[in-house]
Every structure is written in structure tokens, then in C-alpha cells.
Amino acid sequence: MAPFRSIAQLGVLLAVMGAALGPVPLGPPAPRHGAPGASGAPGASGAPDVPGATNGRSAATAGQEQEDSRELAGRRIVLSYSGPTPPAGVLRTLREGRAAGVIFFGENVTGPEQFAQAVADLRQAAAEAPHPRTLLLMTDQEGGRIRRLPGAPELSARRAGQAADPVGAAAQSGAGAARTLADAGLNLNLAPVLDVYDEPDNFIDHYERSYSQDPAEVAELGTAFLTTQQGLGVAATAKHFPGLGAAPRGGNTDERPVTLDVPLSQLRTRGEAPYRAAIAAGVRLVMASWAVYPALDPDRPAGFSPAIIQGELRGRLGFRGVTVTDAMEAKALAAYGGTGDRALAAARAGMDLLLCSARDPQQAEEATEALADALDDGRLDRHGFTEAVARVDALRGSLG
């Protein structure tokens, strides 16, 4: 496990150096909510790292600006469905090229043969699209209690952190997650969790989803997990930015609004520190939290906040990969309108992928229609929108 330890230790060093140096100066101010440019790509600082990019603009992006709005919108959507069999409507959506991916839950799996057939059907439908692209096929395979598919990793994050060789255990968990997902035909894991828990048995620790109370250790172990997993061909997602480690025992954004009144200095030295290491190690995706962080934005959850996504994550930490929302149906968002309103808020904040995980394909349709309509009538800036699509397309093109 020596190579894994070296990679992880580099990540920790970067995290510690970042904390010591303090805030990274921002570039131009992030666009206001609803202002031109605030549609999922904050200008040059968030431009996709794709061939041919010039001053934040690529040939692919220029071509996308002429494409059908409904197809472009769909390419920012991850959909879901209930039961073991993909519905005909979902397959039709994929054949039309109007989805970036599918998220799976335990209810979608009754056995290896059944699930293999479902994944094959979804892949085949995507291959029949006018401009076929690899489908993002994902689930939450964190380890321990949070596993949607049977198999590795058996260890929770907490138990990996308590192992005799924590870095080795985290690396083995990343390898196990990659094998489990790849064997099932999946190519993206919504893991690892990089939350640094504050109090024993609080929300994130109760489910054993945090490696440690020490941000340097979380950085080291989270980096070991993600680099091992990504080395085996399965994209990793660091979550939940800028950190849920301060959430109290009942602070579940799936169930209710959550406000974490954490001082800015603590957010940056504890909450964000593991992300510095993960970004340096090349993590492909970052998921934003639905909690509100008054020190950064008193009015909006992180995933709806340009200040947090474009300012902190893109501008301050320099993340160039794909941003993804947490569940769009979360009860923490009850005050922010229906699916269409939430889709617009997320896009304006700078979220590239929208996770429509209610197991209802209609949710994805509503999000797609809202984005397409706003793109057509100018409420969303088309250039910024297509930059977000280009980042997602680049991720899809890099995976099997």
C-alpha cells in the first residue's frame, strides 16, 4: 500500500499548506443570482478542460450553442426510476439523448442477472441516440451501511479510519467500490464522503460516514479511496461541499432544512481542507450540500449559491471538474418552489449535473423543461450553459 500512502500524504500536505496560507484571493466577483453568466459555468474560471479550449471557450462549446435546447438541458440531468425494470419512457428519453445518466437504489436491484439486464437495456438505449455518448451510471457505494449494491466495501468510513492501517483500509475500500460497480456495469460512485465530523454521534458520524474529526486524516483517507477507485476506471464524487460535519444528530437535509452557523475560518480550515487534497488528486466530481452556511451565503443552500459554488469551489479552490447536486427532491428545499424552480436555482449557482433521484422519471422531465425554457427565453445564459454541458460531456467521454 506504499503508493497509496504516498498519494494520500501528498494530498494532506496540500491541504495543510492551503489551510496555512489562508484564503485564496478570488478573481472577478461571482455573478449575482439570475445575472447573465450565472447559468452553470462561471466564465473562464469554470471553463471545461477540453481540447481546443481558448479563453474559456472550446469548439465543442461553440457547436453546442446551436443545438436544441431540450437536448442540451437533458444532458445536465441524472434521472431515476422505481422498481427493477427501466420504464419505456426512460428508455425513450435515453434514445433521444436527453439524459446524462441514471442513479440506482436498492429497489432497482433484485439480483445480478436482473440488474445486468437493466444496465444493458439502458446502455443500449443511450447508444441509439442521434449523438450517442457514454451514460453516467451511478449509485452511493460509500461502504458500511451506505451501499446500494451488495458487495464491497464492507468497511464504513469510520471503521476504515479506526483500522490498524487506515490509509491501506481506505484504499482497499476504494478498490472494492470500483470492482463492485464495474462488475455491475456502473462507472460513477457518489463517494467518498469528506465531511469532518465535529461531535461524536452527530448526523454524519452516527451513520459512520466520516473518517475522522481530524481534517488532515479525512483528507488523507478520502484521497486514498478516490485515487484508488478512479485508478480502476470508476469516477469519484467528493461530498458534501463545503461540509456537513457540523450537522447535529437530526440535521438531515433529506428530511428538513438545515442551517450550519459555522465561522468562516472553521469552514475553510476544517470543512474545506479535505477538498483541497481531493482536487489536487484529480477528483472528477464534487457534490454540494443542501445546508445553509450563513458565513458564506445567509440566504441559500450551498447548491443554490453562486458565492459557494462559483466563489469558493471554483474560484477559491480551483475545481475544474463536474459539480453535481444532492437529491433535488430533498425536503431542505421545500421553500424554493417545485422541481423547475429548483433546477433553475441550481443551474444559476453553477451546478453542472442535477440529481433527479425521486425514482420518478417525471421529475427529470420537469427539470429538463424548466432548463430548456429558461435557455430559450434568456433567463439562463446560453454560453455558460453550454460550458456546463461540455464539462459533463467530457466526463462521459472519459468513462467506459
Side-chain angles (χ1 to χ4, degrees):
M1 294 298 173
F4 299 135
R5 179 175 291 277
S6 298
I7 292 169
Q9 287 175 341
L10 173 62
V12 175
L13 177 60
L14 290 166
V16 172
M17 289 175 62
L21 291 171
V24 177
L26 291 176
R32 295 185 305 278
H33 182 73
S39 62
S45 69
D49 293 327
V50 295
T54 304
N55 295 325
R57 185 180 177 83
S58 68
T61 301
Q64 287 164 353
E65 292 186 7
Q66 307 304 316
E67 292 184 29
D68 176 71
S69 296
R70 203 155 176 265
E71 182 186 343
L72 281 175
R75 281 155 58 191
R76 296 179 67 171
I77 301 296
V78 176
L79 57 79
S80 60
Y81 61 89
S82 63
T85 304
V90 165
L91 298 177
R92 182 170 59 252
T93 295
L94 298 182
R95 290 190 188 101
E96 294 171 356
R98 294 190 297 102
V102 179
I103 179 173
F104 299 101
F105 295 89
E107 70 182 82
N108 301 127
V109 184
T110 59
E113 291 184 3
Q114 164 273 324
F115 191 56
Q117 185 61 57
V119 169
D121 291 345
L122 293 164
R123 284 183 176 271
Q124 180 59 38
E128 294 171 8
H131 305 287
R133 297 174 178 84
T134 298
L135 198 59
L136 299 176
L137 298 168
M138 67 192 72
T139 194
D140 298 271
Q141 197 76 2
E142 297 174 14
R145 298 165 69 178
I146 312 299
R147 288 179 290 168
R148 309 304 186 193
L149 302 181
E154 285 79 16
L155 288 184
S156 65
R158 182 210 283 173
R159 294 189 65 184
Q162 295 171 342
D165 176 10
V167 176
Q172 288 176 355
S173 291
R179 286 193 297 268
T180 297
L181 268 61
D183 287 350
L186 277 57
N187 55 18
L188 195 158
N189 193 5
L190 297 171
V193 170
L194 296 187
D195 299 326
V196 183
Y197 78 94
D198 286 357
E199 300 292 336
D201 203 40
N202 71 358
F203 169 65
I204 211 70
D205 180 56
H206 179 79
Y207 296 100
E208 302 188 3
R209 300 174 74 193
S210 176
Y211 289 108
S212 175
Q213 290 180 288
D214 179 356
E217 187 170 3
V218 173
E220 184 176 32
L221 303 189
T223 300
F225 183 108
L226 74 89
T227 52
T228 308
Q229 178 184 278
Q230 292 192 158
L232 294 172
V234 175
T237 307
K239 62 186 187 185
H240 310 80
F241 187 82
L244 281 176
R249 175 70 177 82
N252 183 354
T253 57
D254 285 346
E255 300 298 331
R256 66 176 181 85
V258 176
T259 296
L260 300 181
D261 201 4
V262 179
L264 182 60
S265 60
Q266 182 176 329
L267 279 173
R268 289 179 170 169
T269 57
R270 286 180 59 80
E272 292 184 3
Y275 289 90
R276 291 182 178 272
I279 292 168
V283 69
R284 305 300 305 277
L285 301 96
V286 171
M287 176 183 287
S289 160
W290 284 138
V292 175
Y293 300 81
L296 292 169
D297 187 334
D299 301 319
R300 289 168 286 222
F304 287 167
S305 171
I308 293 176
I309 303 306
Q310 299 179 25
E312 289 290 298
L313 182 59
R314 295 270 191 221
R316 187 170 177 275
L317 299 186
F319 181 60
R320 296 293 181 267
V322 171
T323 52
V324 57
T325 71
D326 205 340
M328 291 291 289
E329 68 277 6
K331 293 180 182 177
L333 307 182
Y336 296 89
T339 296
D341 297 314
R342 298 176 190 189
L344 291 183
R348 285 170 174 152
M351 303 308 299
D352 298 329
L353 273 177
L354 279 58
L355 202 60
C356 296
S357 52
R359 284 78 132 185
D360 179 1
Q362 184 59 33
Q363 180 192 30
E365 287 292 330
E366 291 175 9
T368 299
E369 291 294 341
L371 292 181
D373 289 347
L375 190 55
D376 284 338
D377 66 20
R379 284 175 292 154
L380 290 177
D381 171 67
R382 195 169 188 91
H383 176 59
F385 196 102
T386 54
E387 283 190 326
V389 174
R391 282 190 291 272
V392 174
D393 284 354
L395 174 65
R396 296 172 68 179
S398 71
L399 298 173

